[in-house]
Every structure is written in structure tokens, then in C-alpha cells.
Amino acid sequence: MSFVHLYHRRAKGLGSQDGSRAGGNISVTSSLCEMTVQHNISMAEINFSLCQENSISEEYDHLIRVSDYIKQFYIWVVFAFGFPGNIISAIVVTRMCQQRLTTSLFYVGLLAVVDNVAIVLKLVENQSQNRRLPMDDTSCRGLFFLGLIFSTYANWILSTLAIERFLAVRYPFKMAVLWTVRKGLVIISCVFVLLCLIHLHLLWTVIHYEGYTCTLTLEGPSFKAWFYVGSFLYAILPASCLFICNILIIIYVRRSATRRRALSENHSTTVATRRIEAQLTAVLVTVAVVFVILSFPRCVFTVAYAYWNPTICSIGEARKYFFDVLTSNIADTNHAVNFYLYFLAGRRFRHAYFSTIREVSSRKRTPPNTDSDRTR
């Protein structure tokens, strides 16, 4: 969750920056983990000034500054590759749906839109920090709530898609009844509503700090519960779901290939449909595998977070902050890679993409009014 970065509390450093609100719940501290969550504020600004006299301050400073460079610039890489790629994915999938609307294609198109919303919100969050944009309670709550909702929702769309693909492989002749487009829309809408309800507390537990920074008012066990519930919903549960579904899909594809070929050998229409379904399943398995790979470091960091307690101003502290930033940004890459995976692994998607390009090119070359039209 790039909207949340973790670091050790500096009573002296934070106290010097609290200003008129020093007595309030400005920081969010977990008494069990001795950690503070604070949104949109550079760790280097708070911590490094307190470690100048430390013998490892140079190495400490290097790690902190590298982390801050990653936070500042990596989102632009995600935006540059992901935003246009997701737009193209949505256009291509829309054209494919015109030929034959399926639940899987609907989910893929929805995922492209949600990924772009998540990227834009992350970019706004990044710029609010770097440019120190003025923030109030309302803008903080909206940005925090929507940012976490759409980032998490994108992961659960992919998880729902993996479950749908598993059922298509496990019960190929019952999917027309088990998971219709209407049912798929209801299911994915319920997932969105559930995520909103789980994160609803952010609309009153988030406040603004120093005008441009947002933070939570949760403390102690409440903070610990929020952090782990949010982390499990964002990365661990979707990654686990995708991993399990992929294993089951591979197993059942191998078991049922011969039987399905025998049942379909005399029905050319069924054979063509099965080939399309097989191609779609292969593409989505590829996307799911990449998601698990990119999310795994964040899952490991989340599990290790409570047990990794380095001392103040130590190199271990800088490393922990570095891995926090690094794993968070690696996980954010999931919002940017899907188009390229569809293109590389999906023959049908490539065909639809090139068909769209040819159609657009032909429209540009064809003048709107010909000379023959004018003489008529």
C-alpha cells in the first residue's frame, strides 16, 4: 500500500514538527511494534537530522535518500507505461466484447479502468508530498480512502477473475449457468461494496497534518488491527488466492484435456469455443503468476514487519524503511504491466489490437468527403 509508509517514531523529531497540534493524535503509533504510520511525509526530513552524529550516518543517509528517490520518481515510470497501456487494453477489450461478451472480458476491461484510477490517485498522493500541496481533512480522507479502495479493488478483480477461470476449467459445461455476465457483475459489485465497508473508518480516522500531510488517529491495538487487515486484503489474500487458483487450474487442465477433446471432437463450434477459453485461461494464468511474483516481497515484508525492530538511527532502521518503500513500489507495478502481458501471451488480444490499429489508420487515410460525393 503506497499510501502508507512505516518508520520508527522519533519523539524528539516529531515533537519539533508538531507545531500547534503537538498535543493531538498526529502520529499513529503501535505500542506493540513501536512503529508510526504517517502519510505523505519524508522519513529523511524527520530522521536523518537526528542521526547526524551517528557513526553510520553516511550509510544511513544514502539508504534514506535512495528510498526517497524511489518514492519520488518510480510512480512516473508506472504512469508512463501503465496509463496508456490500460487505455489501450480497455479499447481493445471493448471491441472484443462487441463480438462476444463474456464475464472474463468484462473483468479484464474493468481491471484496466480500475488500474488507471489507482495510478492517478497514487500520482496525486506522490505530488501532494513532493510539491507540498495544501490539504485539509476532507481531501486527506477522500484521497486516503479512494486510494486504498481502488488499489485493493484491482487486486481483487484479478482474484475474482482467477476464481472464474478455475470454475471454467473445473466445470466447463456448467459455466453458462454457474457464472453468467449478470452474476459476475453482481459478484464484483459486492466485492467493491465490502471493501468500502471495511475501509469506511478512514473517512473519520484520517486527518491532515502540517497542511499537506495526511495521517491516521488510530493507536495501539486499533492501529495494529488496521495495518494487518489492510495488508492482508491488499496483498496477502489476493496473492494466496491467485497462487491456489493457478495450481488448481494447471492440475485440472492436465486432467481434463483428453476428456474434453473426446467430447468435443464432433462439434466444431464447441472446439472453437474451447480454444478461445483455453487461450484466455493461459493469458490470465500468466497475469496471475506475475502478480504473485510482484506481490510476494510485500507479503514477506508485511509478515516480518512486527518482528523486525531495529534500534533508532541504526543501519537496520534505514534498511527496514528501504524495503518498505521498495516492496510497496514493486507491488504498485501490478497496475502497469497487464497490457504488455496480454499482448505477449494472448494471440487473440494481439489480433484484436492490430485490427484496431489498422481500422484507425484506415480512417485517418480516408478523407471524409470524396470528389464524387461532391458532384452528386
Side-chain angles (χ1 to χ4, degrees):
M1 296 177 291
S2 65
F3 282 85
V4 180
H5 295 288
L6 309 173
Y7 54 85
H8 282 279
R9 183 180 184 183
R10 296 288 180 276
K12 179 180 178 181
L14 287 174
S16 64
Q17 299 193 27
D18 280 348
S20 59
R21 301 182 66 173
N25 289 325
I26 299 303
S27 61
V28 187
T29 304
S30 168
S31 58
L32 295 176
C33 302
E34 297 180 356
M35 298 290 290
T36 300
V37 168
Q38 191 159 332
H39 182 51
N40 288 340
I41 192 166
S42 172
M43 179 182 178
E45 293 178 5
I46 296 177
N47 295 343
F48 180 63
S49 61
L50 302 176
C51 303
Q52 292 289 343
E53 298 179 359
N54 194 292
S55 59
I56 61 169
S57 61
E58 183 176 353
E59 186 176 1
Y60 184 98
D61 177 48
H62 178 70
L63 281 173
I64 297 302
R65 294 191 184 281
V66 169
S67 302
D68 287 338
Y69 279 131
I70 294 175
K71 286 174 57 179
Q72 182 176 358
F73 296 111
Y74 189 75
I75 185 60
W76 288 105
V77 177
V78 173
F79 178 81
F81 285 92
F83 193 83
N86 288 327
I87 291 178
I88 296 173
S89 294
I91 294 173
V92 172
V93 170
T94 300
R95 288 179 56 85
M96 295 171 69
C97 288
Q98 292 174 354
Q99 300 175 0
R100 180 172 178 265
L101 177 61
T102 64
T103 308
S104 298
L105 288 178
F106 170 75
Y107 284 163
V108 170
L110 178 62
L111 178 61
V113 174
V114 172
D115 274 336
N116 263 1
V117 174
I119 289 173
V120 170
L121 290 171
K122 291 174 185 293
L123 189 60
V124 172
E125 179 266 341
N126 177 270
Q127 292 303 295
S128 70
Q129 172 187 355
N130 295 334
R131 299 180 181 273
R132 302 197 172 189
L133 301 178
M135 305 283 287
D136 57 15
D137 285 350
T138 302
S139 57
C140 277
R141 289 164 182 168
L143 182 61
F144 213 107
F145 177 76
L146 293 176
L148 287 177
I149 288 296
F150 279 95
S151 296
T152 307
Y153 188 45
N155 298 343
W156 278 101
I157 292 174
L158 189 56
S159 299
T160 306
L161 186 53
I163 295 173
E164 188 267 348
R165 284 293 86 199
F166 163 68
L167 292 177
V169 172
R170 182 66 179 86
Y171 306 104
F173 301 105
K174 298 180 180 180
M175 280 301 293
V177 177
L178 287 178
W179 206 303
T180 63
V181 175
R182 185 185 297 272
K183 289 181 180 179
L185 178 60
V186 171
I187 291 171
I188 206 64
S189 299
C190 291
V191 171
F192 181 78
V193 172
L194 181 60
L195 291 176
C196 288
L197 292 176
I198 293 174
H199 293 89
L200 195 63
H201 69 89
L202 296 174
L203 295 179
W204 62 83
T205 57
V206 174
I207 60 174
H208 75 92
Y209 171 61
E210 290 192 348
Y212 65 94
T213 301
C214 303
T215 187
L216 287 166
T217 57
L218 298 176
E219 295 185 1
S222 297
F223 157 72
K224 186 178 179 66
W226 168 82
F227 170 71
Y228 279 111
V229 169
S231 298
F232 271 79
L233 285 174
Y234 175 76
I236 296 178
L237 289 182
S240 301
C241 177
L242 288 169
F243 179 79
I244 294 172
C245 286
N246 281 347
I247 296 298
L248 293 176
I249 286 172
I250 294 172
I251 292 174
Y252 280 103
V253 163
R254 290 183 174 180
R255 287 182 179 178
S256 62
T258 303
R259 180 172 60 88
R260 281 166 43 187
R261 192 182 306 113
L263 291 173
S264 304
E265 61 184 359
N266 296 322
H267 303 279
S268 58
T269 302
T270 305
V271 171
T273 301
R274 294 304 170 202
R275 286 177 179 174
I276 293 174
E277 292 293 325
Q279 291 176 15
L280 181 59
T281 300
V283 171
L284 297 178
V285 167
T286 302
V287 173
V289 169
V290 172
F291 176 87
V292 172
I293 292 173
L294 294 177
S295 300
F296 182 74
R298 189 63 186 173
C299 297
V300 173
F301 180 85
T302 300
V303 173
Y305 152 73
Y307 305 97
W308 187 3
N309 298 308
T311 58
I312 294 176
C313 292
S314 67
I315 190 62
E317 179 187 58
R319 288 169 180 166
K320 185 172 185 178
Y321 176 66
F322 172 76
F323 283 115
D324 176 28
V325 173
L326 182 63
T327 57
S328 179
N329 281 273
I330 289 175
D332 287 345
T333 308
N334 282 306
H335 300 300
V337 299
N338 289 338
F339 163 74
Y340 307 98
L341 297 176
Y342 301 152
F343 188 86
L344 293 174
R347 183 174 59 184
R348 188 180 172 210
F349 183 88
R350 286 197 304 272
H351 177 76
Y353 170 78
F354 287 122
S355 176
T356 303
I357 295 298
R358 286 193 297 267
E359 182 177 337
V360 172
S361 300
S362 63
R363 287 179 180 178
K364 289 182 178 180
R365 289 194 299 265
T366 304
N369 294 312
T370 62
D371 294 336
S372 60
D373 292 334
R374 295 192 186 99
T375 60
R376 289 179 181 178

